[in-house]
Amino acid sequence: MEPIVFSKSQARKIILHAAGLAREAQFGTGIEAVYRLIEHLGYVQLDTNYVVERAHHHVMAARIPDYQTEWLAELSEEGRIFEYITSDAGYLPMSDFRFSLPVKKAFEMQAKPMRTAALNLMKKIMDQVEREGAVMVGDFENDRLEASSGWWDWRPAKVALERLYLNGKLMISRTKAFQKRYDLPLNLVPQDTDLSVPTAEEYARFVIRRTLGALGIASVKEMAWRARHVKGNLVKAELEKMSNSAEVLPLRVEGLKTPLYMLPDQEQNIELSDEVFILSPFDILNVFRHRLKDFFDFDYQIECFVPAAKRKYGYFSLPVLAGDTFIARMDAKADRKQKVLLLHNIHFEDLELGEVRIEKFARALKAFVQFNQCRDIIFKKSNNDAYLQAISSTFQ
């Protein structure tokens, strides 16, 4: 089949529509919009960074104007979503639960052998959970034999709990303070949930459809990334079969050499609203940096992982999208004690921004201040004093 040919402008519309960013409240409002978004994307990345509100809440608030942070917990308690791993940890719809089973099996098969003491600890933990219910790391004595050497130097109880979580023996729920509770799947998975293990071919086709549904347009690279924990996955082989049978459509985007694909039912006649969205670095639109460069000509990197001396834009720089164009990135921090959002830096891209876009940016910023439970905002610096003045004046 000959590939469909799109311009980059056409491709951006499809990508933004798939991400839920074609217009404000694309999935509606209220808690049902949260579920619809998760069910559509298939996965919303969870992150513990709390410089501004956590990424999974940020993703929701960018798309759902009346979003409340407790709604994710409510959907989890109702058994409609669950926490686990695709490419990274995140929230998934419970309807996809059976497709987490190959990942759990892969973690179990690929994990390094554990010593007898660790295996005994895991058995002890399972016995305790079965007798007494969900547990937290703090329920176990500090059994570390040596001083911690860093963030990932977990004590034995933490290692055991995470191993049991990864291989599916335990599942995670969260306290209001976002602490992990480890519980039996029996207590968190609804009885009518399909628990049949998919074949390798089924799993690969699921990954392909889910990736294309969330990204709109994708290459093998992104599909393989979603299945990266399952070694020997059949994504490439099944993608070829699906392409030959027109279950996915090959396409080419002008100016790009990479073979790309989309689903046959992907909407193509899309109008963008030109709204401004302040996005999380871990938003589905931003996790593949090469896509931002290829499709949006936006060279982006989250700099919290970059040594301070080498940062260009700031520790936690948030991309700002207007229509199909990234217009700025802003390094923000929520001072929750003082109820102030600190904007250390707003770096505007080399673009001419009209008055309407400036006003929409200011409106999105006001909503972001409220979302972070702040009352005031402090502007520190920018590379464009005129734009900064125009935005800051709306807060006076």
Side-chain angles (χ1 to χ4, degrees), residues 35 75-83 92-101 104 171 184-198:
Y35 178 74
L75 290 171
S76 297
E77 290 167 6
E78 291 171 6
R80 300 177 68 188
I81 64 174
F82 70 104
E83 182 178 331
L92 296 82
M94 190 62 75
S95 57
D96 285 354
F97 185 82
R98 65 187 292 254
F99 293 101
S100 71
L101 301 178
K104 292 168 181 173
M171 289 179 64
L184 298 174
L186 180 68
N187 297 329
L188 299 178
V189 179
Q191 289 187 351
D192 60 352
T193 303
D194 187 351
L195 302 178
S196 60
V197 179

Side-chain angles (χ1 to χ4, degrees), residues 50-52 316 331-336 340-344 374:
Y50 202 37
V51 176
V52 292
F316 205 66
D331 182 30
K333 177 178 173 59
D335 184 336
R336 295 173 179 86
V340 173
L341 184 73
L342 303 171
L343 281 190
H344 296 297
C374 294

Side-chain angles (χ1 to χ4, degrees), residues 46-66:
L46 179 154
D47 195 79
T48 58
N49 192 308
Y50 202 37
V51 176
V52 292
E53 184 56 82
R54 293 184 176 98
H56 41 287
H57 294 311
H58 189 166
V59 167
M60 298 296 163
R63 293 162 172 82
I64 302 167
D66 62 342

Side-chain angles (χ1 to χ4, degrees), residues 26 29 49-50 78-79 81 87 147 165 177 206 214 221 232 240 246 272 295 315 318 321-322 336 339 371 381:
Q26 187 176 321
T29 57
N49 192 308
Y50 202 37
E78 291 171 6
I81 64 174
S87 53
Y165 156 65
F206 164 79
K221 182 177 182 178
E240 184 176 355
L272 300 181
F295 293 105
Y315 177 80
L318 310 176
L321 177 75
R336 295 173 179 86
K339 300 289 184 183
F371 166 60
K381 69 173 184 176

Side-chain angles (χ1 to χ4, degrees), residues 250-264:
L251 62 95
R252 182 171 62 82
V253 173
E254 293 172 353
L256 301 180
K257 296 180 180 179
T258 306
L260 299 163
Y261 302 86
M262 72 179 197
L263 294 173

Side-chain angles (χ1 to χ4, degrees), residues 118 135 144 155 166 179 187-188 204 221 232 235 238 243 328 366 391:
V135 299
R144 187 189 301 281
R155 55 193 180 93
L166 289 175
Q179 295 172 309
N187 297 329
L188 299 178
K221 182 177 182 178
V235 167
E238 291 304 308
S243 180
K366 289 175 182 178
I391 289 173

